[in-house]
Amino acid sequence: MAIRDIVKDGDPLLRKHSRDVDKFDGKLHALLNDMLQTMRIADGVGIAAPQVGILRKAVICELEVEGSEEGEILEMINPVITAKSGEQVGMEGCLSVPGKHCEVLRPEKVSVEFQDRFGAKHSRTFVGFNAVVASHEIDHLSGILFYDKEVKEGK
Ligand code: CO
């Protein structure tokens, strides 16, 4: 495993659309392993492949698990949001946008279809904090950064 450089805001790469992953091979697994290590070192709770310079649809989320101190690491390849409902506003930041935090509007609940690192299909529904992390990371695959969805006070 290796720590990769995190692409920072201002780099046009972060604004590009990522392409589908079509090979679930060792190269993908190495990318995911590196993304996890990079996320951990940077103390984040999510990371998307474009943040390490790879324009492919792959994200990692560290999800909260009820009743557990330990989070769940979830890799999602080619994720697609199939349903969303409700609204929540919370403070967000991003490993690619150091020093900036702001309030962001997100759905309270999102359902996602995705593949795992071996290509098997899954679907999951996330609520609360986990819905925030999942939608933040999936946004990266469309070149969207959290502050694009900032909720300004008084509005
Ligand atoms: Co981010």
Side-chain angles (χ1 to χ4, degrees):
M1 284 205 279
I3 296 162
R4 301 205 186 190
D5 289 332
I6 294 176
V7 177
K8 297 295 189 325
D9 192 16
D11 190 319
L13 213 94
L14 286 177
R15 293 305 191 170
K16 297 209 157 106
H17 283 257
S18 291
R19 289 180 296 151
D20 283 343
V21 170
D22 47 14
K23 289 194 194 84
F24 297 84
D25 56 5
K27 202 174 163 193
L28 173 69
H29 298 177
L31 169 66
L32 290 164
N33 294 345
D34 288 356
M35 283 168 59
L36 178 61
Q37 199 179 24
T38 304
M39 181 187 96
R40 283 260 155 88
I41 290 285
D43 203 22
V45 292
I47 193 166
Q51 292 184 275
V52 294
I54 306 293
L55 289 172
R56 289 285 180 172
K57 291 182 185 169
V59 304
I60 297 177
C61 297
E62 183 160 8
L63 303 172
E64 279 182 355
V65 180
E66 217 181 300
S68 167
E69 292 278 292
E70 217 142 290
E72 174 197 355
I73 295 294
L74 180 66
E75 297 171 346
M76 294 194 282
I77 313 303
N78 301 328
V80 176
I81 292 180
T82 54
K84 47 187 168 183
S85 61
E87 288 185 344
Q88 59 177 321
V89 173
M91 201 60 95
E92 288 184 33
C94 178
L95 297 179
S96 292
V97 193
K100 184 172 170 75
H101 294 86
C102 67
E103 304 240 282
V104 179
L105 178 65
R106 297 285 183 191
E108 173 61 24
K109 193 170 170 182
V110 293
S111 299
V112 183
E113 284 181 0
F114 59 95
Q115 287 165 281
D116 62 27
R117 60 163 63 200
F118 304 104
K121 290 183 177 170
H122 302 269
S123 62
R124 293 268 299 256
T125 296
F126 306 105
V127 293
F129 174 83
N130 292 346
V132 172
V133 178
S135 33
H136 176 124
E137 298 315 325
I138 292 170
D139 272 353
H140 275 296
L141 305 180
S142 305
I144 298 166
L145 296 175
F146 71 101
Y147 62 74
D148 299 342
K149 297 181 170 177
E150 179 173 7
V151 179
K152 301 223 168 65
E153 264 180 66
K155 275 195 183 169

